[in-house]
Amino acid sequence: MSSPSPSTAVRRRRALAHVVLRDLAETGDVTVPTWWEDEIHREFGGLGGFLAELSRQWWTAYAAHLDALIELGHGDPSQAWDDVAEQLPHLRAVLDAYAGETALAEAERRHCDVLRWTTRREPRDAACA
């Protein structure tokens, strides 16, 4: 039996995260109910992996929105945060509910490091490209 391709695994993980978030939004819960634990463990290796995926989704949406605001000349990071929180309220609520989890804190730290590194970079000189 062959293992799935990395892209198949990524799509499967995103789909599961989407379904769990939709379930949480429908029930109003912000913490993962026990009935999802086995599937989350199989797919993500546990809650930490699941939270890291949710964090990745958040930071991807945030970075894309911040980039759009910068393109429009409105590069306010706090405005981007508020806009994305309004667009993805349940995702933000779940991440906030698990703010004390070590795996989530590590994922959030890595994303913040990347964002800080990216925003400090010097613009490329077009003549050097």
Side-chain angles (χ1 to χ4, degrees), residues 11-124:
R11 282 193 302 275
R12 196 176 57 238
R13 285 177 162 215
R14 285 182 187 161
L16 178 58
H18 176 76
V19 170
V20 173
L21 276 175
R22 188 179 64 218
D23 185 40
L24 290 170
E26 288 174 1
T27 63
D29 290 332
V30 292
T31 58
V32 176
T34 56
W35 60 81
W36 284 111
E37 288 175 0
D38 288 342
E39 195 163 354
I40 286 171
H41 185 75
R42 269 191 307 277
E43 194 60 52
F44 295 99
L47 182 63
F50 177 70
L51 293 173
E53 170 61 21
L54 296 185
S55 177
R56 187 201 58 74
Q57 289 182 17
W58 170 264
W59 286 103
T60 299
Y62 173 77
H65 191 69
L66 180 58
D67 185 57
L69 289 179
I70 290 168
E71 289 276 332
L72 296 171
H74 308 290
D76 180 359
S78 63
Q79 181 62 51
W81 187 276
D82 293 343
D83 291 349
V84 176
E86 186 177 311
Q87 295 165 7
L88 303 170
H90 215 71
L91 174 58
R92 187 69 254 159
V94 171
L95 291 172
D96 290 345
Y98 284 102
E101 290 289 324
T102 303
L104 181 57
E106 177 61 21
E108 299 261 325
R109 185 195 60 75
R110 280 192 314 272
H111 289 293
C112 287
D113 287 349
V114 168
L115 186 59
R116 276 192 295 276
W117 179 83
T118 302
T119 57
R120 281 196 312 247
R121 297 208 46 203
E122 295 294 320
R124 285 183 63 189

Side-chain angles (χ1 to χ4, degrees), residues 1-5 12 42:
M1 180 159 124
S2 67
S3 61
S5 71
R12 196 176 57 238
R42 269 191 307 277

